[in-house]
Amino acid sequence: LRLSGKAADGHVLVPGVALDLTGANGEWQLREGVLTVRQADVRWGTTRGANGTLSLDLADPRRPMDLAVDVEADLAQLPPFLKRVLHDPAVQAELARIRDLSGTAAGRLAITGPADGLQVKVDIATFALAAQYDRLPFPVSAQGQTLTYSSEGLAFQAITAHMQASRVEGLGGRITWNPAPRMALQGRAAHLACAQLYPWLAALPGLQAHLQAIESIDGRISLAEFQISGPPADAAQWRVQ
């Protein structure tokens, strides 16, 4: 059996990830139970997709699917979706630390693999976001280019980030999830508000013993061409250059 046509304002529910796509327009073909879609435009809530392709075996959900689409994304939709498709405990733990994510991003989303083992990759060309991440003491806002998210980790370049009166410029690096979370960051410049950051640093388990004799610190610290590496959750093991 072979059918083909063009969709206009269609509705597609991608099984396994509960991805509900509306307003679908594009060329489609159904052959031997496999649905293929090309040049598709879709909506997912407030996120818009264009130039999309899809290959999906409707007869056997155990077979790999392949979805790729250019997106203009509402980032508030991303954490619940990633929690559904990424089952690694380390990834789930980090996602649970993110709250109140908002902002927009433009890039390409790819989802591949069988329903019980999907791989998700997001290549972002430009973004602006704000969020609360509970490893940090205050909400963070950031904007930049070249950010890649996958089941293996997060890689980024040329990011400017603000956390209250502190600012980091030209931030790049990588955070990996396995075998244990680890980060390697480098930046062009940082301007840090000591009065805001010191209480948080002094309360970190790895630094308490080293800082307990200091009641408070005021003023600002400026860094140029810095590097930080180590496990995100253990500041005592961070290496700063």
Side-chain angles (χ1 to χ4, degrees):
L1 177 65
R2 177 175 178 177
L3 301 172
S4 63
K6 290 187 177 181
D9 198 25
H11 184 187
V12 179
L13 179 63
V14 181
V17 295
L19 188 58
D20 193 359
L21 305 176
T22 61
N25 300 288
E27 301 175 1
W28 63 270
Q29 176 179 275
L30 180 62
R31 183 176 183 178
E32 297 180 356
V34 177
L35 174 67
T36 58
V37 180
R38 299 185 304 161
Q39 300 177 353
D41 298 332
V42 296
R43 293 194 306 272
W44 172 44
T46 51
T47 292
R48 294 184 175 273
N51 192 31
T53 61
L54 171 67
S55 176
L56 178 65
D57 192 326
L58 302 179
D60 187 356
R62 297 171 298 177
R63 295 186 62 181
M65 64 166 285
D66 191 347
L67 169 69
V69 60
D70 295 331
V71 293
E72 294 182 2
D74 177 357
L75 294 179
Q77 294 183 270
L78 195 56
F81 170 69
L82 292 176
K83 288 177 182 178
R84 293 200 301 269
V85 300
L86 300 178
H87 305 296
D88 185 283
V91 177
Q92 288 283 338
E94 291 304 309
L95 288 172
R97 294 180 178 276
I98 301 172
R99 303 192 307 276
D100 303 323
L101 176 64
S102 63
T104 58
R108 191 159 181 83
L109 168 68
I111 305 175
T112 60
D116 59 353
L118 289 173
Q119 298 293 313
V120 177
K121 185 177 182 181
V122 184
D123 288 308
I124 294 176
T126 181
F127 71 92
L129 63 84
Q132 176 72 61
Y133 179 51
D134 74 1
R135 293 194 188 278
L136 300 174
F138 306 109
V140 175
S141 62
Q143 52 278 330
Q145 303 174 353
T146 316
L147 187 151
T148 300
Y149 180 94
S150 70
S151 57
E152 298 176 355
L154 187 69
F156 44 89
Q157 298 178 24
I159 291 176
T160 297
H162 297 79
M163 187 171 67
Q164 290 207 341
S166 298
R167 174 185 174 96
V168 177
E169 302 169 359
L171 183 66
R174 184 173 182 84
I175 300 173
T176 55
W177 316 128
N178 292 304
R182 190 166 185 85
M183 65 179 182
L185 311 178
Q186 59 275 339
R188 186 177 68 249
H191 309 283
L192 310 177
C194 297
Q196 293 176 348
L197 296 179
Y198 178 74
W200 165 65
L201 290 171
L204 293 176
L207 297 180
Q208 283 180 330
H210 303 286
L211 300 177
Q212 62 182 353
I214 303 174
E215 292 185 2
S216 64
I217 297 178
D218 205 351
R220 297 182 67 83
I221 296 176
S222 294
L223 304 175
E225 303 298 337
F226 63 90
Q227 297 181 10
I228 303 173
S229 61
D234 190 352
Q237 295 189 47
W238 292 357
R239 296 187 62 186
V240 180
Q241 297 178 313

